Amino acid sequence: MENGAGAGDDEYTRDGSVDLRGNPVLRSKRGGWKACSFIVVYELFERMAYYGIASNLVIYLTEKLHQGTVEAANNVTNWSGTVFITPLIGALVADAWLGRYWTFVAGSAVYLMGMLLLTLAVSVPALKPPPCDGGGGGAACPRASALQLGVYFGGLYTIALGHGGTKPNISTIGADQFDDFHPPEKLHKLSFFNWWMFTIFLGILFSTTVLVYLQDNVSWTVGYGIPTLGLMVSVAVFLAGTPLYRHKVPQGSPLATMGRVVAAAVWKWRVPLPADSKELHELELEHYTTRRGFRMDATVSMAFLNKAAVKPGEGGGGSVARLPGWTLCTVTQVEETKQIVKLVPLLATMVVPCTLVAQAGTLFVKQGVTLDRRIGKFHVPPASLGAFVTATMLVCIVLYDRFLVPAVRRRTKNPRGITLLQRISLGMLLQIVTMVVTSVVESRRLGYARRHGLVAAGGQLPVTIFILLPQFVLLGVADAFLVVGQIEFFYDQAPESMKSLGTAMSLTAYGAGNLLSSAILAAVERVTGGGKGRTPWVTNNLNASRLDYYYAFLATLAAANLLAFVVLSCKYSYRVESTETIDVDVAMDDVQGGGVARVKSEAAPMA
């Protein structure tokens, strides 16, 4: 990394990081784990707030707002789908206009408003429907009014909007604190996402144990009020760390850039490509260094898009010279577009695994309601079994990072041990095993209900809730590979100027997965209950349902999806681009006097 640079040069970050005013930053003053500590604290409390709502949402909708099982499950997944799709908007705003920091701050304010509104909705008597007469069931349970539903769901979807500004940017801000062109920091960055997820799951663990218990056994006001207060504290902590953060300058709307590249290539579809890729249009190196950006070399993949960079007068014919100016794109813009386009097919195969993840917060929880939850005098909240998913993930992430990666790294010579796509595929395979086990367990639960004549009566079976433990634990193991690998893959493979978009793409898969879960569940209810006298696979009375068939169907769907993912993975080539690292050399008198930094560049490979 030295390459002739002076000691003073190396004190500044080489990846284009700046402070909020756009000035180069000293490595020793900003970034690193010191800055990340503030960011991690925020994420800990934010995940506590989000999962404090999400983990037990299906219970609140069925027991307090008196919705049916399918309606409540679909409302949960529809909301979750929105929560994970809005980050795409937040990423575009961050990359194009406001930057990650200010987009995050604005999103946090909206998020906090949603939490406050939701806390009011479960606290003010006029905003809650009266309890069921005689303890529950059927017509004895009054439906929530339009006002009550409006306030509650208004709070939920305000949270979804705020989440769009915070979620794609907070993890990216954390990753931005490490310089890819400084070997020690790059090594730390390889572990960042593992420990980032570790922190997230600590927050989830608290939510699925303490908060869920408070909601079920103390009051929903307390159960919602604590995470709301925690979110307030976390935003204050994040803001307190502002002087330590490194920032990346917005590079413009990535979707607009990609749209222009595709349109230009189509417009010039008859224009032949030059024999030498160096004849394609590209800006001088200084253009990128002064903007602390990265220049990329042309590749032969998706060569059709290279037509967007054919210069006027090139490619044979004066007709090219008469083309509109907007049709001339740089090689870097073309290559950035290619990188995103390459991710889209793999993104499509992430939707089904995210659909499987959604079952843990809906039907898995409703299964728990039908079982004996007593441990002595203590009653286990059904949603608390989600803590085993989290705890398993925490253990597996530590084992993976500290033991598996070093052991495998010695053989594969890959800094990550195995590739990101291999890690994701292992997670998908474990998910299939999870759904098979879940189907078998549910089949035995239903068999017990039939043998003891408890099908028509519904309600609880005298069977311990811990028969569901294997499916929660296995899902945790699967997620340790899938969830971490997925978010790191899309961040790592996105172009440098589109990191927020890459993170948002991974979150969009969860949104689409939740929406797909709603669509599948609604379709299954309609198709399996279409005949006269036929009971749908999923009904309000789970003892009369056939959830085992439903889980087996999901396992089959996941197996087909894994096959498609493996085929695409074998064809995928990880991005290896020629970039220029930025070596900023600022004289002390320039810094003190507000002078302009002197910038010079050197070539370096970036994996």
Side-chain angles (χ1 to χ4, degrees), residues 163-414:
H163 192 267
T166 61
K167 195 57 182 175
N169 293 301
I170 186 63
S171 60
T172 312
I173 291 172
D176 286 345
Q177 305 311 306
F178 301 98
D179 187 350
D180 273 333
F181 302 110
H182 188 258
E185 289 194 12
K186 185 169 184 177
L187 188 61
H188 289 313
K189 191 173 183 176
L190 293 179
S191 294
F192 168 74
F193 283 102
N194 284 331
W195 292 104
W196 175 256
M197 298 303 294
F198 182 89
T199 303
I200 287 175
F201 296 129
L202 279 180
I204 298 174
L205 187 62
F206 181 84
S207 299
T208 52
T209 52
V210 177
L211 292 182
V212 164
Y213 178 80
L214 291 174
Q215 291 165 1
D216 282 6
N217 297 281
V218 179
S219 75
W220 289 88
T221 300
V222 173
Y224 278 24
I226 290 176
T228 300
L229 181 61
L231 186 63
M232 289 182 182
V233 173
S234 68
V235 172
V237 169
F238 175 85
L239 294 175
T242 298
L244 298 175
Y245 301 148
R246 300 174 186 173
H247 305 275
K248 296 293 180 67
V249 179
Q251 301 293 316
S253 172
L255 287 186
T257 300
M258 292 187 292
R260 179 185 169 193
V261 168
V262 173
V266 172
W267 192 283
K268 297 191 287 190
W269 68 279
R270 291 186 176 180
V271 176
L273 289 169
D276 188 354
S277 63
K278 292 182 180 179
E279 295 179 14
L280 296 172
H281 174 60
E282 184 54 279
L283 301 176
E284 294 296 328
L285 181 58
E286 286 72 22
H287 173 85
Y288 295 96
T289 55
T290 55
R291 289 164 175 76
R292 298 176 176 87
F294 302 89
R295 190 172 72 176
M296 302 166 61
D297 291 338
T299 62
V300 295
S301 65
M302 289 182 272
F304 174 78
L305 292 179
N306 289 347
K307 292 177 181 288
V310 174
K311 299 177 184 178
E314 299 287 348
S319 60
V320 184
R322 296 191 296 270
L323 291 172
W326 65 265
T327 62
L328 183 61
C329 303
T330 66
V331 169
T332 296
Q333 290 173 330
V334 171
E335 292 304 315
E336 288 176 340
T337 301
K338 289 180 183 180
Q339 288 180 4
I340 294 296
V341 170
K342 284 167 56 180
L343 294 176
V344 172
L346 288 167
L347 178 64
T349 62
M350 300 294 170
V351 175
V352 170
C354 294
T355 297
L356 270 57
V357 171
Q359 308 312 308
T362 53
L363 295 180
F364 282 19
V365 176
K366 290 301 293 181
Q367 280 180 280
V369 174
T370 69
L371 298 169
D372 184 1
R373 294 175 273 152
R374 293 173 297 174
I375 301 179
K377 295 183 179 180
F378 178 77
H379 284 70
V380 177
S384 286
L385 287 188
F388 288 97
V389 176
T390 306
T392 304
M393 290 184 72
L394 290 173
V395 172
C396 289
I397 287 173
V398 173
L399 293 177
Y400 182 88
D401 190 67
R402 291 302 183 188
F403 299 101
L404 181 61
V405 170
V408 177
R409 181 189 294 156
R410 287 192 289 269
R411 291 191 175 187
T412 64
K413 308 303 181 185
N414 187 317

Side-chain angles (χ1 to χ4, degrees), residues 301-302 338-339 341-343 345-346 349 419 421-422 489 493 562-575:
S301 65
M302 289 182 272
K338 289 180 183 180
Q339 288 180 4
V341 170
K342 284 167 56 180
L343 294 176
L346 288 167
T349 62
T419 68
L421 291 177
Q422 288 171 340
F489 173 77
Q493 294 299 295
L562 175 59
L563 180 61
F565 177 79
V566 170
V567 171
L568 291 173
S569 297
C570 292
K571 296 180 179 180
Y572 183 81
S573 57
Y574 289 87
R575 74 182 181 101

Side-chain angles (χ1 to χ4, degrees), residues 46-173:
E46 187 277 327
R47 291 294 85 184
M48 182 183 78
Y50 174 75
Y51 281 97
I53 305 301
S55 298
N56 224 13
L57 182 56
V58 71
I59 297 298
Y60 188 86
L61 295 180
T62 54
E63 296 187 359
K64 299 301 179 181
L65 295 186
H66 311 145
Q67 296 184 347
T69 298
V70 173
E71 181 185 10
N74 283 346
N75 275 329
V76 172
T77 49
N78 286 338
W79 173 68
S80 298
T82 306
V83 164
F84 287 109
I85 286 178
T86 53
L88 186 60
I89 300 173
L92 294 176
V93 171
D95 285 340
W97 298 291
L98 294 183
R100 293 160 192 165
Y101 177 86
W102 291 115
T103 304
F104 171 83
V105 171
S108 295
V110 176
Y111 199 144
L112 193 53
M113 289 172 56
M115 289 295 297
L116 290 170
L117 186 58
L118 214 55
T119 303
L120 285 176
V122 301
S123 304
V124 178
L127 298 179
K128 299 182 292 183
C132 299
D133 295 332
C141 295
R143 299 285 291 181
S145 68
L147 173 64
Q148 292 162 347
L149 290 174
V151 173
Y152 190 83
F153 281 95
L156 284 179
Y157 282 91
T158 301
I159 289 173
L161 181 61
H163 192 267
T166 61
K167 195 57 182 175
N169 293 301
I170 186 63
S171 60
T172 312
I173 291 172

Side-chain angles (χ1 to χ4, degrees), residues 505-545:
M505 289 177 70
S506 68
L507 298 176
T508 300
Y510 285 97
N514 277 275
L515 295 178
L516 179 62
S517 177
S518 297
I520 291 175
L521 187 56
V524 166
E525 181 192 30
R526 183 173 60 254
V527 172
T528 59
K532 205 170 185 179
R534 289 170 56 186
T535 302
W537 284 0
V538 186
T539 65
N540 291 341
N541 179 5
L542 290 191
N543 293 340
S545 301

